[in-house]
Amino acid sequence: MTAGYIAGSLVGSFAIAYLCDTFVSDKKAFGGSIPKTVSDKEWWQATDTKFQAWPRTAGPPVIMNPISRQNFIVKST
């Protein structure tokens, strides 16, 4: 019996969260608009072709030390 209450409350909380998210983001409850870069299909295709372009060039592999925030270039032996 308690499992039914737990499962029901989980489903209900997910439903409420989905409705709130839809209302705020899709229905624009607080105003705003969708950016042009998201809604413009031509811009999206141009960006995609830029990212899929070959040859890709990159620098040498780098290891970052997160404590001192220093980057070290990895040299092959």
Side-chain angles (χ1 to χ4, degrees):
M1 182 137 150
T2 37
Y5 287 130
I6 293 172
S9 62
L10 281 173
V11 170
S13 64
F14 279 115
I16 290 172
Y18 174 77
L19 290 174
C20 290
D21 179 58
T22 303
F23 179 69
V24 170
S25 62
D26 294 341
K27 304 292 183 193
K28 302 292 182 200
F30 299 112
S33 62
I34 297 175
K36 184 180 178 203
T37 55
V38 174
S39 61
D40 187 11
K41 193 165 196 143
E42 183 180 327
W43 182 90
W44 181 257
Q45 289 173 345
T47 304
D48 190 44
T49 56
K50 179 183 135 189
F51 281 125
Q52 298 302 326
W54 288 95
R56 293 182 179 182
T57 57
V62 173
I63 297 175
M64 181 177 173
N65 182 356
I67 296 172
S68 65
R69 299 205 177 248
Q70 292 178 339
N71 296 334
F72 300 101
I73 295 176
V74 179
K75 297 183 179 180
S76 61
T77 57

